[in-house]
Amino acid sequence: MSFVFFDTETTGLKRGFDQILHFAAVRTDANLNEVARFEARSRLQPHVLPHPSALRTNRLPIERLTDANLPSHYAMVEDIRHTLISWSPAVFVGFNSIRFDEEMLRHALFQCLYPAYLTSNHRNCRADALSLVMAADAVSPAQLVVPVGEEGRRTFRLQHLAAANGVAHARAHDAMSDVLATVELCRLVYQRSPELWQRFVRFSNKATVADFVDTEDGFVLTEFFGGQAYHAAVVCIGVDPDQANGRLCLNLNQDIGQLAGMSEVELQACLSQKPSPIRRFRINAAPTLTAFFDVPEHMLDGGSIGQIEEQARRIKADANLRARLVAAYIAAREPYPLSPHLEERIHNGFPGPDDEGRMYAFHQASWPDRLAIVQSFEDERLQWFGLRLIYCEARSILPVAIRAEIEHRLAAQLSGDGSGCLTYGQALAETDKLIGEGADHDGLLSRYRIYLQNRSGRAAAIRAKMAF
Amino acid sequence: MADADLDRARACARSILVEFGVSAPPVPVERIIKSRKIVIQYAPLEEDLSGMAYIKDGVGIIGVNALHHPNRQRFSAAHELAHHVLHAPKISQAVHVDKGIRVLFRDDVSALGTEPMEIEANAFASELLIPSDLLATALEGGGVDLEDEAAIEALARRFKVSSTAMRFRLTRW
């Protein structure tokens, strides 16, 4: 068993619309010694326009992304999946991975008709090295150097942290180089802040987090906003009714008697303040939690552990107050609207068991047999991703009418209102902006501009043809 | 090889509970371990490895498999604590002889309870996590049908142990 450190380089930051171009992973033993490594790349999918900033950052010219010798996206995802499952169970760690790389991987898997939650299933756990480094800085600031960036603010960017702490980082934004730098930063915390490392590993396990927040008479929750750590002594008041992995906690700096005496309307107004006295986190997102008996004094904001625990016990014992707090918080919360884009609905329900069977059957079938499987999906997300996948991989097997329909739909998306994928108009405007700022010293952006003009011209011709 | 001394193992567990003032389940095993200046470490270990106990540079260390369910982790931690409490001389001797680290694995062999040290550690862990007096209170003076899965699961949830550990404990109730 082991840790798996991983990183992705992508066409942009828009989850569900951008794609992974380069994936790298290093498997280590429990003491962070490397035992295996893996890398995979893919060529650009026809429905994805890279953001010019991503090309600039990753130093990837468009002609390299469209190189026909590169594996297809589907082949790359298949390869990643096979390797990661063979390395499971493990603790999956990346730098800012919970918010970004994990999501990119989930979308890639789901859009290739694989189960999305590989790093949460197969008895895996997951954690984020960025949270670890921020927690290390907050709890024992002498252990790591956090440099000051160009804007005069402390920066937690991987390349800056690596440089400031003597960590080798040969090529920032190369997936393997970023993985190796992340492993090395983790080794520093492992050696210099062993207590913190233990909590990091422990709370990578969702069941352990659930057990901890349920059992403890309060604990300290550390949240990070804008590179700043905020500690709060809290007690869990219940499960988020809208999400099984969500936990709602009350900040223990509140006057409990006053809260209990409020009407429902007053409670809702109180709980919708910013920052809200209710703190919400996901037990499957490796939250930064500290038991009271491990907490340094400065994290308790002057309170004594005894008093705070007594306050927590009082709330835990008052089921009625907890239920009222949860209900008021939920009532005051803005509802989360359903996205008009299927690409953004990954978290809107799991495929049913019949569709799961079809997903499995899809990968076992030959390309000509896959169309019928895709057309039998009940889930509209899988239907669309399946059609698009066949179009990308084996469009010659598609009947002319279906192929034309897919092309029309993809062309419409790439010329859309900008609420979904990056459109031709947006990509050209962003490219021109960067060129205007003098960021095109090697001609990478100019060549991308030509590529965009050619593509958008062809798309306009298709739209014109469809209009007749 | 000497027979396992189960009475001593359970008495040690009860003594720790009194010392720590535990009055209700679940027993705070991590706090107990830390209060004894033993370091508890979590790591992703092989599936069949639940935990380990060793002494390094004079510091007692307990390793727990972070990938296991928390209830199983608690039992592993309590089991490894038993090795430090009951078998410290052997651990220390072995440290000296064995390249600075003496490791006691909770593997399939010990789960079967075939080694006296492992049998003692299991008895200690069982008594520590499911103390007689707290179990009696939970049972409200009655008993429990060992065929009643739901009742055993409810008790296990209350004490934050696995159903297997609770069943193991109830077989000698």
Side-chain angles (χ1 to χ4, degrees), chain A residues 230-251:
Chain A
Y230 297 87
H231 312 290
V234 299
V235 63
C236 182
I237 56 168
V239 176
D240 186 336
D242 297 334
Q243 195 192 46
N245 287 324
R247 291 294 180 276
L248 302 177
C249 296
L250 178 67
N251 193 322

Side-chain angles (χ1 to χ4, degrees), chain A residues 196-365:
Chain A
L196 187 65
W197 176 257
Q198 292 311 316
R199 289 204 290 279
F200 175 71
V201 175
R202 188 179 175 208
F203 293 134
S204 68
N205 184 333
K206 167 179 138 176
T208 300
V209 176
D211 178 74
F212 177 83
V213 301
D214 184 42
T215 307
E216 291 292 308
D217 291 333
F219 50 90
V220 169
L221 169 68
T222 302
E223 297 171 290
F224 305 99
F225 302 105
Q228 184 71 38
Y230 297 87
H231 312 290
V234 299
V235 63
C236 182
I237 56 168
V239 176
D240 186 336
D242 297 334
Q243 195 192 46
N245 287 324
R247 291 294 180 276
L248 302 177
C249 296
L250 178 67
N251 193 322
L252 289 167
N253 64 6
Q254 298 297 299
D255 181 332
I256 304 306
Q258 197 179 25
L259 281 177
M262 287 182 183
S263 69
E264 304 312 312
V265 174
E266 288 169 334
L267 257 188
Q268 283 182 31
C270 171
L271 301 184
S272 52
Q273 290 174 69
K274 303 283 181 199
S276 171
I278 301 287
R279 310 310 307 159
R280 181 188 173 281
F281 63 86
R282 286 181 294 142
I283 56 172
N284 62 343
T288 303
L289 312 176
T290 313
F292 281 147
F293 61 88
D294 283 332
V295 163
E297 272 183 21
H298 74 269
M299 283 167 72
L300 288 176
D301 202 20
S304 82
I305 289 180
Q307 285 172 336
I308 295 171
E309 275 189 326
E310 182 49 40
Q311 175 103 319
R313 279 193 283 271
R314 202 174 140 200
I315 294 162
K316 279 181 91 172
D318 192 340
N320 180 50
L321 176 60
R322 283 190 285 114
R324 286 186 60 219
L325 287 167
V326 170
Y329 177 74
I330 299 302
R333 186 165 64 179
E334 290 283 327
Y336 198 74
L338 183 68
S339 169
H341 305 287
L342 295 174
E343 290 81 356
E344 289 183 325
R345 293 189 196 166
I346 188 172
H347 301 303
N348 292 110
F350 294 100
D354 291 342
D355 273 352
E356 275 187 345
R358 292 180 189 111
M359 289 163 78
Y360 177 79
F362 177 90
H363 301 292
Q364 309 305 312

